Amino acid sequence: MSKIVQLASVALSAIALTVAAFGGTTPIATASSITLPGLTGQNAKIAEDKLESLGLTNVTLASANPKYTMVLAPENWKVVSIEPTPGTAVSSNDDVILKVTKP
């Protein structure tokens, strides 16, 4: 998560706590969240496309096998895990890592 996003999140939390403490009733707008789906076992390219279609902008593919340092053709790889874990709510610009392996 970038420093700017972290600072903005802290600032929004502080405002929300202040409003709550003083009995304010004005709702505070927050960025919409995206719940990460389970993608284990899927083709890496299809999984990457699904995440991007949900609005995620920082999707990275990483080899789960230390033998391989780069993922050059995602369509030839399979997802073995996702970070953060499926079910986690993230913002569109949060980092999401698909750990992949060659089938």
Side-chain angles (χ1 to χ4, degrees), residues 79-94:
V79 177
V80 294
S81 67
I82 182 172
E83 295 174 9
T85 58
T88 301
V90 297
S91 295
S92 62
N93 60 345
D94 285 349

Side-chain angles (χ1 to χ4, degrees), residues 5-95:
V5 172
Q6 289 174 338
L7 290 173
S9 177
V10 169
L12 281 174
S13 296
I15 292 169
L17 289 173
T18 302
V19 169
F22 290 101
T25 57
T26 305
I28 296 175
T30 58
S32 62
S33 62
I34 300 164
T35 302
L36 294 177
L39 300 168
T40 301
Q42 293 189 18
N43 175 278
K45 180 63 178 157
I46 292 170
E48 179 182 39
D49 290 345
K50 282 183 184 178
L51 293 176
E52 289 173 353
S53 73
L54 292 173
L56 295 168
T57 58
N58 291 325
V59 178
T60 304
L61 299 173
S63 175
N65 182 342
K67 178 180 172 183
Y68 303 105
T69 57
M70 298 176 70
V71 179
L72 298 176
E75 59 275 4
N76 296 329
W77 297 71
K78 179 175 75 170
V79 177
V80 294
S81 67
I82 182 172
E83 295 174 9
T85 58
T88 301
V90 297
S91 295
S92 62
N93 60 345
D94 285 349
D95 292 329

